[in-house]
Amino acid sequence: MKGTEYALTVKIATYPEGNLAIKLYQESFGQLVFWDSLTVNLGGLRAKDCGFINTKNTGKRYHAWIKRNGLGERTGQVRLEDGTEYVEYIFNTRKLKKLDLDGYTYYSRRLNGELGRRYMRLYIALRRLAKHIPGFHYTDYSGWRRLEGSSDTLPLWIEAEDPAHHRHFTFEHHGISLRTIITNCDTQTVKNSLYLRREDMATELLALFQEELPVYQPWSKERRWKSDTRHDPSLAQTFQETTNIRQKTMKKTGRRSKKS
C-alpha cells in the first residue's frame, strides 16, 4: 500500500452472531500486532465461509489481493451501507485451514452447532447464478431486516435481481410458508411458488436458467477409478507400509536393548 509492502499473518475468528471474521496481523518484535480486518460484519447471518470485504479504508486493494492469493471468489451479493459498497466473497476452505487451523475449527464448530444452514442449497444456487448469469446479484436480509410495522424478522428473506431477463426474485420463509415470488419488471406480473421442502426452492430456481448454465460432463469410469485408487491405497500397499513401520520399530527396540 502506497509503495510499502506488508508481511501479513491471517487469523480466523468469529463475530458475535457466528459469522466468519478474518483478521490481519503484522509481526513486531516477535509479537503479532493487529493491522486491519479483511472482513466486515454487516447485519444478518452469512453462509458458510462467506463474508463481506472491508473496503472502507483500503478501497478495492483487497479484491486484487484475494484474487492474487486464491483466497476466494465473489458470491454475487453486494450491500450498500452508509455510501460504501461491500462485496461478499466465499473463501477457500482449504486455504483458511492452512492459514489458521485452530481458528477455522472453532469457527466451523460454532457455525454448525449454533446457526446451522437450513437453506444451504439455495445459497449455492444463488452463487452459481451470480457467477454465470450476466448481472445477476442478490441481497440477503435473512435474520436482520424487520418486517414493516412489526418487530419480527424472517429466517429467510433474499431479494435477487435478474436484469438479463427483467425479473426480480424474492425468496422467503414466513411462518409455515416457504415461497418464491417472481416479478416480471416489464409487465409487473407476479408469480408465487410454494414449497414443502427447502431443496425444491433451489431446484426450481436453477431450472429457470437450465439452458444458460454450463453443463459438466460426468466422470468416466477410468477417471473415477484413478481418483479412487489415488485416495484409497490397495491392501497390498497398506500391508507393505505396515510391515515397513513394524520392522523399523523392531530395529529401534533392538538397539535400545543392546545399549541397556
Side-chain angles (χ1 to χ4, degrees), residues 41 57 68 91 142 145 153 157 179 182 211:
N41 191 31
N57 297 323
R68 186 167 61 249
F91 290 92
S142 307
R145 173 171 280 190
T153 60
W157 181 1
R179 67 174 178 173
I182 306 176
E211 297 181 357

Side-chain angles (χ1 to χ4, degrees), residues 3-126:
T4 303
E5 290 188 356
Y6 297 89
L8 301 176
T9 297
V10 177
K11 290 291 184 181
I12 311 301
T14 61
Y15 290 114
E17 302 91 338
N19 291 332
L20 175 67
I22 301 180
K23 307 293 184 179
L24 304 177
Y25 292 82
Q26 266 191 298
E27 186 175 349
S28 177
F29 300 102
Q31 293 183 339
L32 290 179
V33 179
F34 179 73
W35 188 75
D36 198 5
S37 179
L38 179 63
T39 57
V40 62
N41 191 31
L42 303 182
L45 304 178
R46 305 275 68 76
K48 186 175 183 294
D49 297 334
C50 292
F52 285 100
I53 302 304
N54 177 19
T55 54
K56 193 168 185 178
N57 297 323
T58 61
K60 298 181 179 180
R61 293 185 182 92
Y62 279 149
H63 298 309
W65 184 73
I66 292 171
K67 183 177 180 180
R68 186 167 61 249
N69 289 280
L71 287 177
E73 58 183 20
R74 300 184 182 210
T75 65
Q77 181 174 190
V78 178
R79 182 86 64 84
L80 188 64
E81 296 277 344
D82 298 327
T84 302
E85 184 179 85
Y86 297 96
V87 178
E88 186 187 46
Y89 274 71
I90 179 168
F91 290 92
N92 186 319
T93 304
R94 293 176 61 185
K95 292 247 175 142
L96 294 184
K97 288 182 178 179
K98 186 176 180 180
L99 290 167
D100 184 8
L101 180 58
D102 291 341
Y104 184 84
T105 300
Y106 175 78
Y107 156 73
S108 181
R109 286 178 178 174
R110 183 174 179 189
L111 180 73
N112 293 331
E114 295 184 14
L115 301 178
R117 283 301 161 193
R118 296 181 293 168
Y119 312 100
M120 181 55 71
R121 291 193 181 183
L122 178 60
Y123 283 105
I124 293 174
L126 290 169

Side-chain angles (χ1 to χ4, degrees), residues 141-155 157 174:
Y141 300 114
S142 307
W144 69 276
R145 173 171 280 190
R146 300 185 185 278
L147 297 171
E148 186 175 353
S150 172
S151 60
D152 296 333
T153 60
L154 299 182
W157 181 1
H174 193 180

Side-chain angles (χ1 to χ4, degrees), residues 126-231:
L126 290 169
R127 290 198 293 266
R128 187 179 178 192
L129 294 177
K131 184 175 182 180
H132 297 289
I133 304 301
F136 188 96
H137 62 279
Y138 65 96
T139 304
D140 187 2
Y141 300 114
S142 307
W144 69 276
R145 173 171 280 190
R146 300 185 185 278
L147 297 171
E148 186 175 353
S150 172
S151 60
D152 296 333
T153 60
L154 299 182
L156 177 70
W157 181 1
I158 300 176
E159 304 279 347
E161 299 292 340
D162 178 25
H165 305 91
H166 307 281
R167 291 183 294 200
H168 175 84
F169 292 85
T170 300
F171 307 94
E172 64 178 27
H173 194 172
H174 193 180
I176 62 172
S177 175
L178 186 70
R179 67 174 178 173
T180 298
I181 305 171
I182 306 176
T183 304
N184 186 311
C185 299
D186 294 333
T187 62
Q188 294 302 310
T189 54
V190 179
K191 177 184 176 182
N192 286 271
S193 298
L194 298 177
Y195 309 93
L196 294 175
R197 302 187 308 168
R198 294 182 291 271
E199 296 80 2
D200 295 337
M201 179 180 283
T203 301
E204 290 197 14
L205 173 62
L206 291 176
L208 295 174
F209 300 86
Q210 187 174 5
E211 297 181 357
E212 302 170 68
L213 293 173
V215 178
Y216 300 102
Q217 295 295 330
W219 280 18
S220 63
K221 290 184 178 180
E222 181 181 0
R223 184 180 179 187
R224 192 178 296 111
W225 178 83
K226 288 182 179 179
S227 176
D228 292 341
T229 54
R230 185 173 67 249
H231 297 290

